[in-house]
Amino acid sequence: MIDINYYLLTSAVLFSIGVAGVLIRRNAIVIFMCIELMLNSINLTLVAFSAFLGSISGQIFVFIVMTVAAAEAAVGLAIVIALFRNKESVNIDEINILKW
Amino acid sequence: MEFKLETFLFFFLAVSSIISAIMMITRKSPISSALFLILNFFTVSGLYLLLKAQFIAVIQVLVYMGAIMVLFLFVIMLLNLQDKSKFKEKYSYKKITSLLLSILLFCILSFTLYFGFTGKFKAMSDAAGDLGKAETLGAELFTAFSFPFELASFLLLAAIVGAVVLAKKKFN
């Protein structure tokens, strides 16, 4: 029997790797992928608690998180395409038009 | 400690998911990042199976690997990116600081998890085997959680409209 701590620890490691990726990488698409990784690690936490508490709410929440992830990917990639059309780059150091 | 298949599977899947996540953030080309992310999603779906959440594992494969990652790969190949990054140096202050910050975050998270949940749960709940079935999930989704379900469909509609408008418009 595997303790819940191991699942939570795996999830924490994946989340931290996602945060490191968002901070280190400069490519907008890779940053989106790191956000997907973080959402996925949160899903792992929710499913682990759902199984150990014997409650269905965690798995319902995973549904909602997946919906949000799909919506975020669609809109985010549309933004990346629109930016690439205007700037010819997806490097976020060159995309600073909202910075003053 | 006797050999148990579940323990072996758990450590195999957990270690390979962590390795593939590290490979994902360190690869230079976005395509190989995306492929390692797909591997990571696959191993996490194996972990869902170990937690007896069969339906979640299936829709993880279908939605994340089937839909979202295809979208990512499609966009990467469409844009034909070259790495023209200005930050050629391998180790900059920015990178080291972000690495230290994420390690700090991991320490905080694991500290909280260790002191919060050690010994709280003796074993997996007996009901867990039934929870993961599509039947149980569907029954809950259409009765007790019907309002969030409808909101999710509304969110997807808004995302479709937003994506179409953003990708079509030429703003200057």
Side-chain angles (χ1 to χ4, degrees), chain A residues 1-14 41 44-45 47-48 51-52, chain B residues 1 3-19 40 42-52 113 124:
Chain A
M1 192 61 235
I2 295 164
D3 201 64
I4 191 170
N5 270 348
Y6 292 101
Y7 288 104
L8 298 180
L9 201 66
T10 313
S11 165
V13 172
L14 289 179
S41 77
L44 183 59
T45 313
V47 172
F52 278 83
Chain B
M1 190 179 141
F3 179 79
K4 268 192 172 170
L5 187 62
E6 193 193 359
T7 320
F8 170 74
L9 273 178
F10 173 78
F11 282 105
F12 176 70
L13 289 170
V15 168
S16 51
S17 75
I18 289 165
I19 289 173
N40 179 62
F42 194 74
T43 51
V44 171
S45 108
L47 288 177
Y48 290 161
L49 281 181
L50 280 184
L51 284 165
K52 297 177 183 159
L113 294 176
M124 210 181 281

Side-chain angles (χ1 to χ4, degrees), chain A residues 2 25 37 43 85-86 93, chain B residues 10 27 40 48 87 167 171:
Chain A
I2 295 164
R25 296 305 297 263
L37 181 70
N43 282 353
R85 204 182 273 158
N86 284 286
D93 287 323
Chain B
F10 173 78
R27 291 307 92 186
N40 179 62
Y48 290 161
F87 290 89
F171 56 91

Side-chain angles (χ1 to χ4, degrees), chain A residues 26 28 65-67 79 89-90 98:
Chain A
R26 303 285 90 191
V65 171
M66 278 186 180
T67 316
I79 291 175
S89 162
V90 290
L98 284 182

